[in-house]
Amino acid sequence: MRKTEIKKLKKLVYFSPVIGVIIGFIYFLIKAKYSISLGFTDIRTLATIVAGFSFTMLGFLAAMATFLFSLQKYKFFKRWLEDGNAEVFFSLYKVSIVCLFITFAASLITFTSQGQHLSFKIMMMFIINNIVQLSVITLVLVNKISSIQNTQ
């Protein structure tokens, strides 16, 4: 991968948190125009679930980091690092960790009396983003696992 491609992909990765915001604004537009609402009745229960999800996925990312360290002995992994593809992956990995912390913090702020509705909206926008980011990371790692089976 060329350096210009790596830079473009890294910019895309750093702007990936905007995905949840865009989907959130689309939801608000649909809600305003058509009066369609998901109508969450118990915000604190949902915030508890999202906080658990965020913290669990942080543990999942830590386990994946351990797995990646175990791949260092394989040639395909060394090539992946040298080609620059891993640079984009690890950028997404870092952004995902930060976004999961933001989601976790927003879910905790939901339990306060100040700013409950704003933090709930931020939490919902970031949880969408977290799911997209973690799906991409998981797909890349599944691809790496299949590469292990092909080299043996």
Side-chain angles (χ1 to χ4, degrees):
M1 189 179 300
R2 293 185 213 125
K3 289 185 180 184
T4 57
E5 292 172 336
I6 291 172
K7 285 182 182 180
K8 286 179 185 177
L9 285 173
K10 284 176 74 173
K11 284 180 185 177
L12 180 67
V13 163
Y14 288 126
F15 285 112
S16 68
V18 178
I19 294 169
V21 175
I22 291 170
I23 292 172
F25 281 122
I26 290 171
Y27 167 72
F28 291 132
L29 291 173
I30 291 171
K31 182 180 174 182
K33 186 171 183 176
Y34 299 109
S35 299
I36 298 172
S37 177
L38 295 177
F40 296 110
T41 54
D42 195 5
I43 292 174
R44 291 185 177 189
T45 303
L46 187 59
T48 304
I49 293 168
V50 169
F53 169 80
S54 299
F55 217 66
T56 303
M57 290 302 108
L58 283 168
F60 177 67
L61 287 176
M64 286 195 298
T66 305
F67 173 72
L68 286 172
F69 284 122
S70 72
L71 295 179
Q72 291 179 350
K73 61 185 174 186
Y74 294 103
K75 290 179 183 178
F76 78 90
F77 188 77
K78 291 176 184 174
R79 238 180 299 125
W80 186 56
L81 291 173
E82 292 168 0
D83 290 344
N85 296 331
E87 191 174 338
V88 176
F89 174 79
F90 287 118
S91 296
L92 179 62
Y93 195 87
K94 289 183 270 187
V95 169
S96 296
I97 289 173
V98 170
C99 289
L100 282 167
F101 273 116
I102 291 171
T103 307
F104 182 70
S107 63
L108 291 181
I109 294 171
T110 303
F111 290 101
T112 65
S113 59
Q114 303 293 322
Q116 180 182 33
H117 294 290
L118 177 63
S119 65
F120 179 75
K121 290 174 185 173
I122 291 170
M123 175 189 73
M124 292 307 289
M125 288 179 190
F126 269 91
I127 194 70
I128 293 167
N129 181 50
N130 294 149
I131 291 169
V132 170
Q133 289 173 337
L134 290 170
S135 297
V136 171
I137 289 173
T138 304
L139 287 173
V140 170
L141 285 178
V142 167
N143 185 27
K144 293 298 152 201
I145 291 170
S146 68
S147 296
I148 291 172
Q149 292 176 352
N150 292 338
T151 58
Q152 290 180 352

